[in-house]
């Protein structure tokens, strides 16, 4: 038997990458505070170690957890020292790789998540990140679009695919479906065949139906428990911080159904309440998995899933970006433009 040797696909040569400078622009906070606590600073460019990559950031995503942390909640307790550079999401170009034959060679366009607050975040011209938290940027997306995906899309993937196991015929209710995580959750659930009901404001109804929602409930005019019942899964991106959304959600689950709450600290007593109601419950925390992100990247490239960017701010406008996030009515994502791609 003759074995034909495998031939690897020809690779496009990567453009040379300039060595990083000693200092970089970043948006930092000196202590917890309001949005104006964010200030521009010149800080040292971080150095990658072991399996980390150094990435020149072109764009950085802004997430609700960033604003919570800046304000002294979120993961602020894990910040080792101030001033601190915030931010998880980024899209950019690899500058340094762990070793010469690493799959993410210098010059590779990537998107992913930084290890903030253990390291400096992505509101900066350069960021270090574990190579296992990074994937190649979808070719069809700009860096601004790609920067809006990692944390929100990975959270939605973990909720819908890995926790709820979305499948044909499953009935899923998603609260706050028009936000960053929500608009990905709607698309993933619909992609895998679930019947998706979403709560959102009326202005987002037609858009959410385009993304795959079968039913959109305007939470400003209708109480969802009056029109929904016997769902298999509730994905709660609100919790009990507003109108007891979590408590009311238990009423619409079938016996043994699953309630998943996402915002940190939004309903500490969910497990006990769910057990009393005869349903299952769990909280969820995002896992920065580069393998899952690569799969999401392929869905984005194929057009099966889309990332919606509502507002783009320059890096120095991070305070305004945080105020936009904290207003609570963002459709899709807010992104910082850090440098030229």
């Amino acid at each position: 038997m003759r074995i034909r040797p495998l031939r690897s696909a020809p690779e496009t040569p990567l453009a040379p990458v300039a060595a990083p400078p000693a200092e970089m622009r970043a948006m930092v906070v000196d202590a917890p505070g309001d949005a104006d606590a964010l200030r521009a600073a010149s800080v040292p460019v971080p150095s990658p170690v072991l399996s980390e990559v150094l990435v020149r950031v072109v764009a950085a995503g802004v997430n609700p957890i960033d604003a919570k942390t800046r304000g002294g909640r979120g993961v602020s307790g894990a910040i080792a020292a101030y001033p601190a550079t915030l931010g998880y999401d980024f899209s950019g170009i690899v500058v340094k790789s762990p070793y010469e034959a690493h799959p993410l060679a210098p010059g590779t366009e990537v998107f992913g998540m930084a290890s903030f607050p253990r390291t400096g975040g992505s509101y900066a011209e350069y960021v270090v990140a574990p190579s296992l938290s990074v994937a190649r940027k979808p070719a069809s997306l700009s860096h601004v679009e790609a920067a809006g995906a990692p944390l929100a899309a990975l959270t939605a993937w973990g909720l819908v695919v890995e926790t709820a196991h979305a499948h044909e015929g499953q009935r899923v209710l998603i609260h706050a479906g028009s936000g960053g995580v929500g608009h990905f959750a709607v698309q993933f659930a619909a992609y895998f065949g679930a019947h998706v009901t979403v709560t959102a404001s009326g202005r987002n109804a037609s858009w959410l139906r385009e993304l795959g929602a079968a039913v959109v409930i305007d939470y400003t005019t209708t109480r969802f428990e009056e029109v929904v019942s016997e769902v298999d899964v509730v994905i709660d991106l609100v919790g009990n911080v507003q109108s007891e959304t979590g408590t009311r959600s238990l009423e619409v689950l079938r016996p043994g159904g699953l309630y998943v709450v996402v915002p940190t600290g939004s309903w500490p007593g969910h497990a006990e309440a769910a057990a009393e109601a005869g349903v299952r419950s769990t909280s969820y925390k995002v896992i920065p998995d580069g393998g899952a992100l690569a799969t999401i990247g392929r869905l984005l490239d194929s057009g099966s899933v889309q990332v919606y960017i509502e507002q783009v701010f320059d890096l120095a406008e991070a305070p305004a970006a945080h105020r936009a996030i904290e207003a609570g009515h963002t459709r899709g994502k807010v992104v910082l433009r850090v440098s030229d791609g």
Side-chain angles (χ1 to χ4, degrees):
M1 177 179 178
R2 297 181 62 187
I3 298 177
R4 181 177 297 173
L6 295 176
R7 294 181 180 178
S8 59
E11 295 185 0
T12 303
L14 298 172
V17 177
E23 298 275 319
M24 64 179 182
R25 290 185 306 128
M27 294 300 294
V28 305
V29 290
D30 297 307
D34 62 19
D36 289 324
L38 283 159
R39 66 173 179 87
S42 180
V43 301
V45 171
S47 297
V49 296
L50 296 176
S51 62
E52 293 176 332
V53 291
L54 177 66
V55 176
R56 181 172 69 81
V57 179
V58 178
V62 180
N63 294 288
I65 188 65
D66 300 351
K68 290 179 181 179
T69 300
R70 184 219 69 231
R73 298 176 292 135
V75 297
S76 61
I79 295 176
Y82 287 96
T85 304
L86 303 184
Y88 288 99
D89 287 344
F90 63 84
S91 182
I93 301 165
V94 175
V95 175
K96 291 184 180 180
S97 300
Y99 51 88
E100 291 81 359
H102 193 273
L104 302 177
T108 305
E109 294 188 324
V110 296
F111 69 145
M113 288 180 61
S115 291
F116 177 81
R118 304 299 186 189
T119 65
S122 59
Y123 293 9
E125 292 179 304
Y126 292 86
V127 69
V128 293
S131 57
L132 292 180
S133 300
V134 177
R136 291 177 182 270
K137 181 184 76 66
S140 62
L141 268 61
S142 68
H143 282 290
V144 166
E145 292 169 325
L151 186 147
L154 283 169
T155 301
W157 185 266
L159 292 167
V160 171
V161 180
E162 298 174 354
T163 303
H165 305 295
H167 57 268
E168 192 77 32
Q170 186 185 49
R171 293 170 57 84
V172 178
L173 170 62
I174 300 171
H175 291 307
S178 60
V181 175
H183 87 294
F184 279 116
V186 169
Q187 293 179 82
F188 292 149
Y191 180 83
F192 286 100
H195 179 279
V196 183
T197 299
V198 184
T199 61
S201 64
R203 77 178 183 96
N204 291 314
S206 60
W207 174 63
L208 286 165
R209 291 190 185 97
E210 291 175 5
L211 295 183
V215 178
V216 181
I217 301 170
D218 184 346
Y219 72 89
T220 66
T221 62
T222 305
R223 291 180 70 84
F224 64 86
E225 69 270 26
E226 295 176 355
V227 294
V228 178
S229 63
E230 296 293 304
V231 299
D232 299 296
V233 179
V234 173
I235 293 174
D236 187 359
L237 300 169
V238 179
N240 261 8
V241 296
Q242 182 177 324
S243 304
E244 295 192 322
T245 300
T247 299
R248 292 159 53 209
S249 293
L250 302 185
E251 302 174 19
V252 306
L253 280 163
R254 64 165 174 80
L258 176 63
Y259 171 77
V260 189
V261 61
V262 181
T264 303
S266 60
W267 190 15
H270 71 88
E272 294 79 6
E276 186 175 341
V279 299
R280 297 170 293 144
S281 74
T282 182
S283 58
Y284 182 80
K285 300 292 183 294
V286 65
I287 298 174
D289 180 349
L293 189 58
T295 299
I296 292 167
R298 289 190 287 273
L299 291 173
L300 288 164
D301 248 343
S302 70
S304 300
V305 174
Q306 301 172 21
V307 54
Y308 182 86
I309 308 298
E310 181 168 72
Q311 290 180 282
V312 181
F313 297 86
D314 287 334
L315 178 62
E317 298 175 309
H322 273 223
R323 283 191 286 270
I325 284 285
E326 290 177 307
H329 302 292
T330 299
R331 174 190 285 190
K333 292 301 300 290
V334 171
V335 173
L336 299 175
R337 184 185 291 105
V338 178
S339 64
D340 295 331

